[in-house]
Amino acid sequence: MNVNKSSHYRPNHNDNGQNISTPVNDWVNGFQPREKTETIRNCAALPRDFVDAVVLRVAKALLSLTERNTESSSCGDAWNTGGSMLISEVVNLLDQSSLQALKKECGGLQTLLKNNHQVFRVEGGRVFIRDWRKTTLAQSSRVTSKRKPPPSGAVKTRLCWFHTHHPQGCPLLCEHCAFAHGETDLKNPQR
């Protein structure tokens, strides 16, 4: 018995020359290959100035919720950790054009906030200012961590958001912060 092996890929015809619909034919006819370059939609391709403006607006709102919500470090100095907001409340801080830009991204505002984990902590639908003193203590006391520590070549390759924007600066000393405290502390990224 001779069987044409390529018959799976050809449309089947009945005796009248009409196409017969089969699952294989329906799948092949409806097949659309992916684009050669897929669009990145995780907020990473958004313009840096747009992202920075959203981050600054959200951070200022969190810090203004409670100017008195300060926590002391072991040295006794107080640092404003701000309040917390539901992501649905954060939406109200943004203008319509910003919201439209974020709607085009997968995960939208929440993804943008999570991508900026240097500044924010997002848990249970709430946004908080990240307190690196607590994060550092928690990481050092845990044997295993979900997030790997940054590679040694990645330390001090970006400016510290808190040093630049927080009213009280960074809660960590320069030598303990993974981010650069000023242009002179900045190192070139190793690639």
Side-chain angles (χ1 to χ4, degrees):
M1 179 173 172
N2 287 338
V3 176
N4 184 354
K5 292 181 181 179
S6 64
S7 67
H8 292 283
Y9 302 107
R10 292 186 192 156
N12 292 331
H13 299 285
N14 65 10
D15 292 338
N16 298 334
Q18 296 173 332
N19 284 341
I20 299 173
S21 178
T22 65
V24 171
N25 288 337
D26 291 344
W27 182 85
V28 170
N29 291 336
F31 176 74
Q32 289 289 328
R34 288 185 189 161
E35 295 292 325
K36 287 187 180 197
T37 57
E38 288 192 48
T39 305
I40 297 172
R41 293 182 47 220
N42 64 354
C43 297
L46 290 172
R48 190 74 233 166
D49 59 337
F50 171 79
V51 173
D52 290 344
V54 171
V55 168
L56 193 57
R57 176 170 280 177
V58 174
K60 283 183 177 183
L62 291 172
L63 290 170
S64 72
L65 286 176
T66 173
E67 293 293 330
R68 287 176 237 126
N69 187 18
T70 56
E71 295 192 19
S72 297
S73 68
S74 57
C75 303
D77 58 335
W79 190 74
N80 183 3
T81 57
S84 71
M85 295 175 83
L86 290 169
I87 291 180
S88 59
E89 295 171 321
V90 174
V91 167
N92 297 328
L93 299 173
L94 304 177
D95 59 49
Q96 200 59 35
S97 63
S98 297
L99 292 173
Q100 289 302 319
L102 289 169
K103 273 189 176 181
K104 294 177 185 173
E105 302 294 315
C106 293
L109 178 61
Q110 182 168 321
T111 298
L112 185 140
L113 296 171
K114 285 183 174 182
N115 286 355
N116 286 279
H117 69 275
Q118 179 193 3
V119 182
F120 302 113
R121 181 172 51 90
V122 181
E123 291 178 5
R126 295 193 78 80
V127 183
F128 304 84
I129 295 286
R130 183 174 298 279
D131 186 347
W132 282 96
R133 298 170 301 177
K134 291 180 181 179
T135 303
T136 306
L137 292 172
Q139 284 176 346
S140 63
S141 65
R142 267 189 285 183
V143 176
T144 59
S145 174
K146 281 173 132 181
R147 187 180 296 267
K148 294 178 184 176
S152 60
V155 176
K156 306 281 186 189
T157 58
R158 292 181 52 202
L159 290 174
C160 177
W161 186 92
F162 295 105
H163 180 76
T164 307
H165 297 287
H166 193 282
Q168 295 164 307
C170 182
L172 300 176
L173 296 174
C174 181
E175 56 268 12
H176 298 298
C177 185
F179 301 95
H181 285 198
E183 295 289 331
T184 57
D185 195 27
L186 200 58
K187 295 180 183 173
N188 290 331
Q190 295 177 352
R191 293 183 188 211

